[in-house]
């Protein structure tokens, strides 16, 4: 039979049952694989009435049809669930080496439901799936967790996805980590994993992959690699310098969130946070996920003699972390930023949300909404790098003020009262990342409408309207004014291409600047599954998933009124200056009184 | 007694009663005069439950305390009513020579209520107020109306405010005209006047003005004139070239509405619509309203041999008309634009709304929502100047398609159905003027929140964030990014200064670029009324009126949700491209069907 034969393993860690199932073939036809098939399955399994931490909530780990193949960047996996942070559909994507291991163990999908009585980890070795005790690992950070599991299993080549202390404590923006510092970061999948007492998933896969036409796949992979490196952005920036080099161009374009989005450029720190300084002060070497010729990651170490964090090392900070712990908080000390990043990774915190939460807290502190008493003596002032590092620790352990901040900016603001709202930069409860929505109107759309909340990656619209990338194949040609709101038709095909990478199990970065074309991905998937899938069909499958996700969110109660941006980007500051109520738009009683107009009420 | 003693005359043209009343002195203390006192009175007289054309609806004509004095630009009057177009408070402002006549007849306010059985006009000669038959003038254009009344009264120096055929037919965006081509244009005051069978108001005033300190007023007026002409914009642009010269800079900045706001620049017509061409092809000479050293108006004539409209002449087209009948419709023929302008003025149509309505209709025509059958054979295609001229005639007479368009874009779109909505560019039912809201974020605020709907004048925010004017006195200093949404605090003081000009009875243009300072206006009003009013108090009075207007609109059912911009400036085009419902944000049934996702519903 033609087409893709998929398998999933369903583990109820409460009931301790393991079940292997075929995945309906038409799901691969309609949704390709990866996030698409995972979301389709999620729709079957979920009930919108369940609480976010209900034991029945499924966590669905997915590989894609290209996972582990010769296709470039084929080391991606994703996890689909209901986000305890945003209450939307959660869909977090990650690299490393976990995906090919799971795929070579024979699984397209791994579904975990239920809640273990005590901490456990899963050990998947091809067909064998074991639920093992993790009580001794509970409380450990990511790096130690991975090493303890490898040592315990006696297999150094096992791949591990795990949570740190943050996930255990159900910090709502906890990530699921792999390969020490790669994160399925956004949306709090780590908190859901923690709520199930599931510390980790260890996988060893030794089975072969099924490739319909290896020769064709090899040829198409070679074409894809060429496309990738014929793109100047990949060849001359992302590959040689990694994501930290984005910082310079993003600051230069004025789309760098600074001082909790009060502005979008940080000129006074240009020399301190630019890539040149990063390279000199931190960088050790590049590293790559499975099958990736780009190698955008950077391993770093805080040099000896460089202050209190000397010696700390790990992956990143990537661009997002430099902005999250740097420009957003006005911290211009790269060593403090790196320390915050390394700690957040090891605690299993989403660096994007964490930095945003701290930036928001700094604004609250400045306004007196939080005081030194609340922070346990920490001076949470703009630019205070030491305070940022302390807050990361405090949040991960839910210690003191960290317990409030661990709930994310939306809930924390709700608890602190109305005057706390303006600083809470989020959409649908997910904290903003570090990509300007003021100048890039495409980014504004993506953030407002993204199925998982404030999302800068579905697609990374700035690439089109701020950085100027074009793609004839998608019909994205000609002038697109980065201020122009009039015609956002180009967002759709680009969004589909981006989603397609999530379905295939490859990296968004391979197409973020439209380097690898949709038609090339179509050739790669066709060669792999042995069924002719053209560009149009691939994009249509992506469109289908985008719509399915929107429908699922609607069952969770989200509708168009939720497709909005934080008030900071809208009219609120004007209403505030006028003394008008933000809800009703009417003059507030005190405004009327001040003007002697109270007789009007 | 200190302070300003004001008088109003209340005419019920149904009951044929005329009553003179004192205006409460504290109204002048709290609202200065002009629009402020008129709005305060409107609040007393109106009932939000009344239909827009209810006979009881008042039309309040107001002069200001500075009207007719030596203060520069002191020839302004305004009319306050409930707009039949937007259903908001209507407040239309106008120049010419009508205001000083009314003031010198002894009246600060003229209130007209009721409905005459047959067409009438008012003749106010100082204390004498007569209601005279206008049956013979009904059906005439503005120019003929003015002349017939002057001839009938045997007084060539009488000043007249009248309506044309458009107001008689209750075209919802009919203006009240004076001095042939000066319009109280926005909001449809002319339609309300027409509904009352009130064709015109003729005024002759020969009484003196009461000035508390003439010497001080003279000195302050001289200072004000110096401030005015020390401003390069006034001295080097507005005075020598008039408003048509705005076209070049507005197009250059990319805030020129083009093709019904699908874009905001019209480069292909640069040479044809620029001021140089206007000057060569149309301009005859400058003209000024009462007491105005700026003389921004332009008298024009379509030269002989310049096509079918040769010989037509009159005031304008001003900048707004060039954009309304030109760039918005893609018409690059200045003679057609001028012809449309002259006709609209004589019919008594608001040129801004009229041009916008036609541009909207062109988009409907392009999309097949209107057909050649609907237009009575007119090819309503982009750039068709002849069609624009025909549409002006058709609208003014409510002939064929004109009867639909005479209702304004909001109602016409409602009648044409949902697919007509995106092209209907309005806020709260008032058609957009020609000032970009995409790049100037201040303008976006003003348009979204304006008390009379899509308003570009309260204040003309582009002057601050796009053109870069500053005023230390108002605290509007330093960098204001024209893309920056973060802090709109500067809008408030500038809005107050703009409103102050409406209270004083002077021209917005005198302070639109912050030329005449708030403190100078304060000196002028203090000298006139003999009571020390400082800058802060003047602005506070303006703030009071702004808030009073907002409160009145709230009694009409408007609230914050109405403070919005047309969908074209928001996410709608993205939703449309995705096939998502604009209201719910959900995939439309046809989208689901196309994607084979209909099982999800």
């Amino acid at each position: 039979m033609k087409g893709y034969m998929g398998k999933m393993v369903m583990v109820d860690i409460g009931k301790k049952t393991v079940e292997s199932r075929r995945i309906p073939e038409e799901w691969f036809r309609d949704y390709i694989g990866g996030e698409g098939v995972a979301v389709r399955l999620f729709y079957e399994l979920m009930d919108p009435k369940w609480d976010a931490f209900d034991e029945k909530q499924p966590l669905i780990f997915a590989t894609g049809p290209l996972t582990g193949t010769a296709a470039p960047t084929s080391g991606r996996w994703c996890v689909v669930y209901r986000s305890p942070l945003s209450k939307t559909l959660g869909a977090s994507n990650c690299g490393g080496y976990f995906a090919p291991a799971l795929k070579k163990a024979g699984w397209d999908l791994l579904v975990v439901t239920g809640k273990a009585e005590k901490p456990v980890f899963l050990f998947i070795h091809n067909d064998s799936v074991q639920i093992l005790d993790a009580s001794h690992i509970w409380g450990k950070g990511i790096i130690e967790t991975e090493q303890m599991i490898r040592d315990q299993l006696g297999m150094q080549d096992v791949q591990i996805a795990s949570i740190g202390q943050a996930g255990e404590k159900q910090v709502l923006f906890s990530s699921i980590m792999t390969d020490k510092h790669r994160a399925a970061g956004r949306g709090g999948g780590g908190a859901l994993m923690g709520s199930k007492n599931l510390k980790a998933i260890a996988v060893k896969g030794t089975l072969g992959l099924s490739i319909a036409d290896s020769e064709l796949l090899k040829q198409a992979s070679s074409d894809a690699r060429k496309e990738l490196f014929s793109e100047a952005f990949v060849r001359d920036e992302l590959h040689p310098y990694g994501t930290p080099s984005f910082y310079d161009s993003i600051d230069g374009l004025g789309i760098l969130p600074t001082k909790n989005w009060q502005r979008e450029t940080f000129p006074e720190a240009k020399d301190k946070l630019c890539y040149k300084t990063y390279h000199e002060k931190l960088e050790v070497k590049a590293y790559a996920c499975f099958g990736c010729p780009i190698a955008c990651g950077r391993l770093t170490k805080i040099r000896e003699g460089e202050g209190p964090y000397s010696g700390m090392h790990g992956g990143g900070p990537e661009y997002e972390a430099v902005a999250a712990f740097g420009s957003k908080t006005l911290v211009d000390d790269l060593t403090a930023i790196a320390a915050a990043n390394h700690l957040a990774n090891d605690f299993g915190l989403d660096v994007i949300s964490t930095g945003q939460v701290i930036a928001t807290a700094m604004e609250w502190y400045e306004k007196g909404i939080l005081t030194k008493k609340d922070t346990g003596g920490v001076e949470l002032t703009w630019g205070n790098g030491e305070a940022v590092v302390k807050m990361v620790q405090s949040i991960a352990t839910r210690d003191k003020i960290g317990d409030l901040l661990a709930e994310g900016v939306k809930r924390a603001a709700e608890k602190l009262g109305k005057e706390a709202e303006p600083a809470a930069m989020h959409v649908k409860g997910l904290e903003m990342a570090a990509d300007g929505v003021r100048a890039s109107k495409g980014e504004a759309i993506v953030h407002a409408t993204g199925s998982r909340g404030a999302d800068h990656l579905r697609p990374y619209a700035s690439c089109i309207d701020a950085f100027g990338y074009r793609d004839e194949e998608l019909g994205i040609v000609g002038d697109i004014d980065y201020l122009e709101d009039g015609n956002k038709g180009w967002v759709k095909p680009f969004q589909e291409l981006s989603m397609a990478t999530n379905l295939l199990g490859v990296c968004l970065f391979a197409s973020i600047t439209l380097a690898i074309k949709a038609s090339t991905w179509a050739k790669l998937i066709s060669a792999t599954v042995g069924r002719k899938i053209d560009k149009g069909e691939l994009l249509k499958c992506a469109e289908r998933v985008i719509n399915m996700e929107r429908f699922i969110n609607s069952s969770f109660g989200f509708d168009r009124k939720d497709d909005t941006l934080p008030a900071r980007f809208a009219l609120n500051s004007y209403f505030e200056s006028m003394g008008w109520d933000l809800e009703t738009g009417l003059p507030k009683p005190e405004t009327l009184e001040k003007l002697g107009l109270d007789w009007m009420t």
Side-chain angles (χ1 to χ4, degrees), chain A:
Chain A
M1 130 177 203
K2 288 262 191 172
Y4 191 82
M5 304 291 288
K7 265 191 354 177
M8 62 179 165
V9 57
M10 304 187 73
V11 183
D12 185 319
I13 56 174
K15 297 180 185 153
K16 298 180 186 162
T17 59
V18 175
E19 191 189 342
S20 159
R21 280 201 209 163
R22 280 246 162 261
I23 299 168
E25 195 190 336
E26 63 270 25
W27 288 10
F28 290 98
R29 181 195 65 202
D30 292 344
Y31 317 111
I32 300 291
E35 181 174 326
V37 171
V39 167
R40 179 65 186 83
L41 176 63
F42 177 81
Y43 183 73
E44 291 296 311
L45 299 178
M46 66 96 182
D47 185 324
K49 291 190 292 291
W50 293 342
D51 179 80
F53 285 123
D54 190 294
E55 291 180 21
K56 296 188 287 297
Q57 289 286 8
L59 262 172
I60 307 175
F61 295 80
T63 65
L66 293 186
T67 300
T69 69
T73 76
S74 64
R76 303 295 295 190
W77 54 283
C78 76
V79 53
V80 168
Y81 55 95
R82 182 164 188 187
S83 165
L85 179 65
S86 63
K87 303 291 178 73
T88 64
L89 182 75
S92 317
N93 200 291
C94 188
Y97 293 79
F98 180 77
L102 186 60
K103 185 68 176 290
K104 285 175 185 168
W107 305 112
D108 294 276
L109 301 179
L110 159 66
V111 187
V112 182
T113 55
K115 177 182 176 176
E117 270 176 42
K118 285 188 206 171
V120 299
F121 72 97
L122 290 186
F123 175 44
I124 301 175
H125 188 174
N126 297 340
D127 279 346
S128 155
V129 178
Q130 298 174 62
I131 304 170
L132 301 174
D133 180 51
S135 302
H136 57 298
I137 321 173
W138 202 253
K140 306 295 185 193
I142 299 297
I143 294 173
E144 204 175 350
T145 296
E146 292 191 0
Q147 197 52 55
M148 285 177 78
I149 289 175
R150 289 193 173 105
D151 290 348
Q152 178 179 340
L153 297 174
M155 293 180 185
Q156 292 306 310
D157 59 352
V158 73
Q159 297 302 330
I160 296 160
S162 68
I163 59 169
Q165 298 91 333
E168 296 175 6
K169 295 274 187 185
Q170 298 173 34
V171 174
L172 291 186
F173 42 92
S174 304
S175 52
I176 303 173
M177 303 293 295
T178 190
D179 209 23
K180 295 198 191 91
H181 29 62
R182 280 279 151 199
R186 311 240 58 205
L192 186 57
M193 203 160 146
S195 77
K196 294 184 177 307
N197 276 326
L198 178 61
K199 179 68 175 172
I201 298 159
V203 184
K204 181 165 176 166
T206 58
L207 309 176
L209 297 179
S210 150
I211 309 285
D213 188 335
S214 301
E215 200 47 46
L216 199 59
L217 180 69
K218 199 174 148 190
Q219 184 54 48
S221 296
S222 165
D223 292 347
R225 240 176 221 86
K226 276 179 206 149
E227 282 181 0
L228 201 50
F229 279 83
S230 69
E231 171 56 63
F233 167 78
V234 174
R235 186 185 61 236
D236 303 331
E237 180 163 352
L238 194 54
H239 171 66
Y241 307 124
T243 67
S245 72
F246 295 4
Y247 183 90
D248 301 23
S249 51
I250 287 177
D251 190 23
L253 264 173
I255 53 178
L256 174 74
T258 305
K259 202 181 182 189
N260 193 31
W261 295 91
Q262 290 182 26
R263 47 192 172 106
E264 292 192 15
T265 179
F266 195 15
E268 62 270 39
K270 215 173 198 81
D271 294 340
K272 293 182 172 174
L273 299 182
C274 69
Y275 175 67
K276 187 167 170 286
T277 305
Y278 183 99
H279 180 74
E280 286 164 7
K281 287 218 166 197
L282 292 178
E283 196 165 342
V284 175
K285 62 174 181 177
Y287 81 92
C289 298
F290 174 88
C292 181
I294 307 175
C296 74
R298 287 299 175 272
L299 294 178
T300 65
K301 185 177 179 182
I302 303 168
R303 314 281 195 254
E304 296 308 321
E306 284 280 2
Y309 312 114
S310 290
M312 285 183 76
H313 58 95
E318 305 298 335
Y319 161 70
E320 283 287 344
V322 175
F325 296 124
S327 60
K328 278 189 184 177
T329 62
L330 291 193
V331 169
D332 61 6
D333 172 5
L334 263 182
T335 68
I337 292 168
N341 172 75
H342 294 328
L343 285 172
N345 278 343
D346 203 51
F347 281 130
L349 285 169
D350 172 24
V351 292
I352 296 179
S353 281
T354 305
Q356 179 56 61
V357 165
I358 296 170
T360 294
M362 280 182 168
E363 191 169 323
W364 287 337
Y365 188 83
E366 184 185 36
K367 292 192 170 138
I369 296 166
L370 290 180
T371 63
K372 209 164 165 178
K373 200 177 151 198
D374 298 314
T375 64
V378 178
E379 301 242 26
L380 205 50
T381 46
W382 296 114
N384 185 344
E386 194 189 338
V388 169
V389 173
K390 280 187 186 157
M391 281 300 118
V392 171
Q393 293 167 310
S394 173
I395 290 167
T397 53
R398 280 188 177 268
D399 182 40
K400 298 192 187 81
I401 186 78
D403 195 38
L404 175 73
L405 301 182
E407 298 291 298
V409 294
K410 179 169 180 263
R411 285 176 187 73
E414 282 163 5
K415 285 177 190 168
L416 291 171
K418 207 152 181 159
E419 75 277 18
E421 265 176 39
M425 306 305 288
H426 71 89
V427 178
K428 301 184 178 80
L430 184 70
E431 285 77 18
M432 300 278 291
D435 302 272
V437 297
R438 287 190 176 101
S440 161
K441 295 304 176 187
E443 213 64 66
I445 281 183
V446 171
H447 278 77
T449 64
S451 65
R452 60 183 192 180
D455 199 336
H456 62 298
L457 291 178
R458 295 162 175 237
Y460 187 60
S462 326
C463 268
I464 308 296
D465 66 359
F467 291 98
Y469 290 94
R470 294 292 177 268
D471 185 32
E472 283 194 22
E473 220 181 79
L474 295 184
I476 303 174
V477 292
D479 286 342
I480 295 169
D481 186 339
Y482 74 121
L483 301 177
E484 170 66 61
D485 289 320
N487 176 15
K488 289 306 175 310
W490 60 265
V491 176
K492 178 174 186 278
F494 187 34
Q495 186 173 2
E496 288 162 7
L497 175 62
S498 294
M499 178 58 87
T501 64
N502 293 342
L503 310 186
L504 294 165
V506 295
C507 185
L508 183 71
F509 270 178
S511 285
I512 200 170
T513 56
L514 303 153
I516 298 184
K517 306 292 170 208
S519 55
T520 307
W521 290 124
K523 278 180 207 152
L524 287 161
I525 182 68
S526 298
T528 303
V529 303
R531 181 170 65 82
K532 177 74 188 157
I533 299 172
D534 65 14
K535 175 190 68 174
E537 189 176 343
L538 175 63
L539 295 178
K540 189 166 182 176
C541 289
E543 185 185 3
R544 211 171 263 134
V545 177
I546 292 164
N547 278 275
M548 198 157 53
E549 294 191 350
R550 197 156 178 90
F551 228 89
I552 289 171
N553 275 340
S554 130
S555 77
F556 293 153
F558 292 90
D559 67 17
R560 166 115 199 218
K561 74 177 180 326
D562 301 299
D563 295 327
T564 185
L565 292 175
R568 179 148 298 173
F569 305 115
L571 294 176
N572 282 18
S573 66
Y574 170 72
F575 277 71
E576 279 163 11
S577 73
M578 297 301 285
W580 294 348
D581 185 272
L582 293 180
E583 302 286 321
T584 64
L586 270 180
K588 291 182 190 172
E590 57 265 37
T591 306
L592 291 174
E593 200 187 330
K594 181 191 83 171
L595 297 171
L597 291 175
D598 17 2
W599 53 270
M600 292 195 87
T601 51

